[in-house]
Amino acid sequence: MDQALRDVLKDLIVKKSPTDKFLAVISLCIENVTTGTCSASTPFLLLGDILDSLPLGQCDIIFKFVEKNVPTWKSNAFYSAGKNYLLRMCNDLLRRLSKSQNTVFCGRIQLFLARLFPLSEKSGLNLQSQFNLENVTVFNTREQESTLCNKMLEEKEDGMEREEGEMGDDDGQLSSLPIDYNLYRKFWSLQDYFRNPAQCYEKVAWKTFQRFSDEVLQVFTSYKLDDLQASKRKQGESRPSTDHVYFAKFLTSEKLMDLQLSDCNFRRHVLLQHLILFQYLKGSVKFKSSQLVLTNEQTLWIDDTTTKVYQLLRETPQDGEKFAQAVEHILAREENWIVWKNEGCPSFVRERPSDSKSPRVFRRRQTPEDFFSRSGNKKYLMGSEELTRLWNICPDNMEACKAENREFLPSLEEFFEEAIEQAEPDNMVEEEYRVLNNANYGWRALRLLSRRSPHFFQPTNQQFRSLPEYLGHLVTRLARELPPPPEEIKTEEEPEEDALLKDNDNDSPPASQPLSPSISSLLSSRVGPTWHKLANALALTPAEVSAAEVGASTSAGRASLALNMWRRREGTNSTAEALGTALISAGLAHLWESVMTEVTDAEGEGGGE
């Protein structure tokens, strides 16, 4: 359906059909979107094709149809799918139109976009308060080419020849204002400051602006427009009341200077520009640089000049008092919009609170007797058999919290046992495989030291580059302070048995003894990428396997961590015999045999020496 509509529209464009047929196709497409027979973006694609193909005269008629259907475009079925198409279409039209010749059409497009998008739409907001620096007012800057100088010379020559009383009344009113090139240049130079107010914070530019403004306002003050009310009434009678005056761009011809200064609307434009500039200079704008600050002298001049400008607006006919009050009210409301923009332009739409709340059920307040059983043995009834059993194990909560089985904080000996063992040079544990390098272990060690050890709060002059280095220093101090592990008491028969074992079986170490660090280190280096099989043989949980992967970056380090976890879990049962049984059952018998052979050979060489 979408392609069929576009094909029909293409034929109409080729045949140069009237606009009524184009609008009929668009209306049909809107109905199809409502019934669900075509996509929601199709009407906007058709409108874009039409406006790109037709001349501006027919585009004006098509755009009237677009303006009338604003409620349709804002509906849920069209808005999300077509807002970007409409924005692109309007921007394309504005590029084709002339701002000076098609002023009304451009204004209609801007009003349409303002009605279509909400106030908080980011694409239509000047969030960073940037100025339109491209709006440059061009005027004659060469005094030699000025016609005002020649005009003044001619008037002086004519005045010498003309008799007194020969000048007409109307000409006398317009020529009573002395206009020269200096006034012309200073007057139109002010537009550059209105275009870019930031340059008013510069010292030299501010002095120039202050001098030019004072002279222009002095001209407005000395040349009142009260005597022109009669002529304005005559012009109003001859011109229909429905006409409006549009000032799309200032006309800077020197020949129009006297007429412009005599025009009340033109004078109001310039005075209002002063008020808008003063409001920006004194206002607080979020994106204004911190260096753009007025001095006290500049602030006093702005206050005095603002009073003078409002007085000139009240004296300007017609209805000057009402116009001045309206301008003051608009600028006061503009302060609210400035605050809104400084806050990031929050949305004005507030979501309705949901009314679908379930009614509140009021229950009877339970008494302490409701929790006791009726048997009189002070047994708490928690509403569930399992909860009742758990609660009545120890009815006193404070005593239950003080129980020994609630003590989850380990002791310093238990927690740092592995670190102390790895720090001993005899164990030959490489630096990169030590548990102190584990970030998780280091964090838990600091927590435990802050609760159990006074060394954590003692000041020291020694500087540490990393956390493992600091923990290594504390582990060394703790190893000296903690009591040594109790030595096993050997009977008199044990040395003889050990000697017999050494004589009879020198090929392999005793398997019933605890796992030695040499076997653990050698096995970790030999296991390589198959350390996952080692973890499965040791029956490690998935959480322990993940902790080993995070704790070390190499396979040997992960295998070492896995063996340490297994030793902590098994305790005294972590013997070489148990490890060998686990490896053989996991299919790693060749690995275990190679490790044991190398350990036996190393011990034999040591005994021989």
Side-chain angles (χ1 to χ4, degrees), residues 168-409:
D169 295 338
D170 295 339
D171 296 339
Q173 289 179 356
L174 295 177
S175 61
S176 62
L177 182 64
I179 301 175
D180 56 0
Y181 177 76
N182 288 330
L183 177 61
Y184 168 82
R185 178 179 59 84
K186 294 175 182 179
F187 182 86
W188 290 116
S189 296
L190 292 176
Q191 296 298 323
D192 187 62
Y193 296 94
F194 299 148
R195 176 182 66 92
N196 185 16
Q199 59 182 328
C200 292
Y201 291 99
E202 301 175 2
K203 186 175 181 180
V204 177
W206 169 259
K207 292 292 184 181
T208 305
F209 169 73
Q210 183 178 1
R211 186 174 71 255
F212 288 0
S213 295
D214 288 337
E215 294 186 12
V216 170
L217 294 179
Q218 183 62 34
V219 171
F220 286 166
T221 304
S222 60
Y223 185 60
K224 306 292 183 181
L225 296 180
D226 295 340
D227 55 343
L228 299 178
Q229 292 182 3
S231 61
K232 293 294 181 181
R233 292 194 188 98
K234 293 179 181 179
Q235 294 178 5
E237 292 175 359
S238 60
R239 185 176 59 191
S241 58
T242 58
D243 292 348
H244 298 281
V245 180
Y246 295 100
F247 290 90
K249 192 68 176 176
F250 289 120
L251 301 177
T252 58
S253 175
E254 300 175 5
K255 299 178 181 180
L256 300 175
M257 190 67 189
D258 53 351
L259 298 176
Q260 289 172 335
L261 294 179
S262 303
D263 186 83
C264 61
N265 289 328
F266 183 82
R267 178 174 293 196
R268 283 172 173 173
H269 275 232
V270 178
L271 295 176
L272 186 56
Q273 283 180 316
H274 278 83
L275 294 177
I276 295 174
L277 175 63
F278 294 160
Q279 185 182 46
Y280 172 79
L281 295 178
K282 294 181 62 178
S284 175
V285 181
K286 179 179 179 181
F287 293 95
K288 187 189 294 185
S289 176
S290 59
Q291 300 177 355
L292 304 181
V293 180
L294 296 174
T295 62
N296 295 332
E297 182 181 357
Q298 292 173 340
T299 304
L300 292 176
W301 182 85
I302 288 177
D303 294 338
D304 296 340
T305 309
T306 301
T307 305
K308 185 185 299 184
V309 169
Y310 275 115
Q311 182 62 29
L312 289 173
L313 286 175
R314 294 186 184 95
E315 295 175 355
T316 302
Q318 301 173 355
D319 300 327
E321 187 68 29
K322 293 182 179 180
F323 184 81
Q325 292 178 359
V327 169
E328 188 173 4
H329 177 69
I330 291 172
L331 293 179
R333 288 179 59 87
E334 186 66 21
E335 294 289 343
N336 299 329
W337 291 107
I338 294 174
V339 173
W340 175 71
K341 182 177 287 188
N342 291 338
E343 293 176 354
C345 304
S347 177
F348 289 95
V349 180
R350 294 182 179 179
E351 296 182 358
R352 287 185 177 181
S354 58
D355 299 334
S356 60
K357 292 184 178 180
S358 59
R360 186 177 179 181
V361 178
F362 294 92
R363 298 181 179 179
R364 182 181 65 87
R365 184 177 182 180
Q366 295 180 339
T367 60
E369 290 76 14
D370 295 335
F371 295 94
F372 297 135
S373 64
R374 297 181 181 180
S375 59
N377 57 356
K378 296 297 182 180
K379 182 179 180 180
Y380 290 92
L381 302 177
M382 304 305 297
S384 172
E385 182 179 355
E386 187 64 15
L387 286 177
T388 301
R389 184 187 66 81
L390 293 174
W391 187 269
N392 289 278
I393 292 175
C394 186
D396 192 350
N397 291 334
M398 294 304 297
E399 291 297 328
C401 293
K402 295 178 182 178
E404 294 181 359
N405 57 357
R406 299 292 299 174
E407 182 65 27
F408 300 107
L409 196 64

